[in-house]
Amino acid sequence: MSQPRGPLQLERCAQLIHATPLRRRYRLTSTTPIQWHELEKHFKEHLPRRGLDWRLNPAAQSLVISGHPDGTSAPLEQALPLVVAGLARAGATPAAAAEVVRLSIRPPKPPLRPWRWLLIPVNLASLVLSLSFLSLATIFSLLGLVGLMLPLAPGTQLLVLASLAVELALLLRSPFLARPAA
């Protein structure tokens, strides 16, 4: 069952490609061949009466409509109904409307990991080691700050050791943290 060729359907045959205040460029598409001589005859009859200049390019399947800068021509918005009427006269037919495809999206099933329970003791051991390294880093940081104030004390070295302890604590925990989806 085909739909009737009404003005709303034929508007899909004229796609506005470029628009300025004095110029409009349309791409003319059709599922059937356009009779370009009929289209040209229609534009010769109707567009000059409104003071609009036009250029039809069958090779590029485009139409350019331009108005005069002095304001003697009709507004370019009035040209679209003339383009649609010309397309109807030239035998243009619009493409069928796109069909909506419905997809059902289900959450993915979690992968089966029978060995998952073996990771629990390793995860706990990593947590304990990580917390102990963070405690050690806190002690090194406090001693390093005091060492920076006292002459001949190893404050800088203790702060470097504290930062290394924090990095090691984070490195121990990284395999057990959830990774964001890419």
Side-chain angles (χ1 to χ4, degrees), residues 69-112:
D70 58 1
T72 58
S73 60
L76 289 176
E77 291 79 21
Q78 292 181 4
L80 183 60
L82 293 173
V83 172
V84 171
L87 287 170
R89 183 175 175 179
T93 54
E99 185 177 320
V100 177
V101 178
R102 300 202 184 273
L103 298 175
S104 63
I105 300 174
R106 296 183 198 123
K109 292 181 181 178
L112 296 175

Side-chain angles (χ1 to χ4, degrees), residues 110-126:
L112 296 175
R113 296 184 206 164
W115 46 268
R116 185 176 171 174
W117 62 273
L118 291 175
L119 290 179
I120 294 174
V122 177
N123 190 3
L124 288 175
S126 168

Side-chain angles (χ1 to χ4, degrees), residues 142-159:
L142 291 175
L143 290 176
L145 288 175
V146 172
L148 286 176
M149 294 180 210
L150 298 175
L152 299 173
T156 307
Q157 291 85 357
L158 288 173
L159 289 176

Side-chain angles (χ1 to χ4, degrees), residues 24-119:
R24 304 265 196 227
R25 181 169 185 230
Y26 295 97
R27 177 178 294 134
L28 305 178
T29 58
S30 175
T31 56
T32 58
I34 296 175
Q35 297 173 3
W36 294 99
H37 62 279
E38 287 290 328
L39 193 60
E40 186 174 355
K41 190 187 313 180
H42 176 77
F43 291 148
K44 280 181 184 176
E45 292 173 9
H46 296 287
L47 287 178
R49 282 191 276 171
R50 290 186 167 66
L52 297 172
D53 297 326
W54 58 277
R55 185 179 71 230
L56 189 62
N57 187 347
Q61 295 186 344
S62 69
L63 168 69
V64 176
I65 299 175
S66 56
H68 298 283
D70 58 1
T72 58
S73 60
L76 289 176
E77 291 79 21
Q78 292 181 4
L80 183 60
L82 293 173
V83 172
V84 171
L87 287 170
R89 183 175 175 179
T93 54
E99 185 177 320
V100 177
V101 178
R102 300 202 184 273
L103 298 175
S104 63
I105 300 174
R106 296 183 198 123
K109 292 181 181 178
L112 296 175
R113 296 184 206 164
W115 46 268
R116 185 176 171 174
W117 62 273
L118 291 175
L119 290 179

